[in-house]
Amino acid sequence: MTRRKSRRLVLIAACGAVLALAAGLILSAMSGSIVFFRSPSEVASQGRAVGTRFRLGGLVQEGSVVRGPDQRVAFAVTDSAATVPVEYRGLLPDLFREGQGVVAEGVLDAAGTFRADTVLAKHDEIYMPREVAGALKQRGHWQGGGSGR
């Protein structure tokens, strides 16, 4: 009977080790793909996350869009309390315009400019990413009629 018990314990320990190894591999694989969201106020208050990939969300500041050669675009993202300058190279979404919600993904450089490699615009009048809507509601700048979903 002790032999049976010891086999069972060895089997349970081996299964536990395999599960722990699998969980560790999954977490390490996911850690490289997780991208955090920040509002301009969070970027300003928490200091500069230079070189760290994150999503910046808010409204495209009125009068800030400057188009350059080679599909280069400079604009500012604001949540009415803070503003972050953004530089992007590529085609912008059709709905991208001043005063509209936007989420840009990229990194902040040492000068404080957000270098975006992806820019997303809201797709209709009531949609805005939950994080962007929440940040704008906290600043009293939310004008959407939707739920922010």
Side-chain angles (χ1 to χ4, degrees), residues 30-115:
M30 286 179 56
S31 68
S33 64
I34 295 174
V35 179
F36 293 99
F37 172 85
R38 292 194 176 104
S39 68
S41 294
E42 290 172 333
V43 172
S45 68
Q46 295 175 358
R48 304 199 190 277
V50 176
T52 302
R53 186 166 188 75
F54 65 95
R55 288 183 178 164
L56 174 68
L59 298 176
V60 178
Q61 186 175 24
E62 295 287 339
S64 69
V65 177
V66 177
R67 296 180 189 272
D70 298 329
Q71 297 179 340
R72 293 182 192 274
V73 181
F75 58 95
V77 174
T78 186
D79 61 2
S80 77
T83 302
V84 176
V86 177
E87 290 187 3
Y88 174 69
R89 182 177 181 196
L91 294 174
L92 290 168
D94 290 338
L95 296 176
F96 177 89
R97 62 184 168 271
E98 295 174 352
Q100 294 295 313
V102 68
V103 175
E105 189 173 323
V107 297
L108 196 65
D109 68 13
T113 301
F114 189 76
R115 305 280 178 192

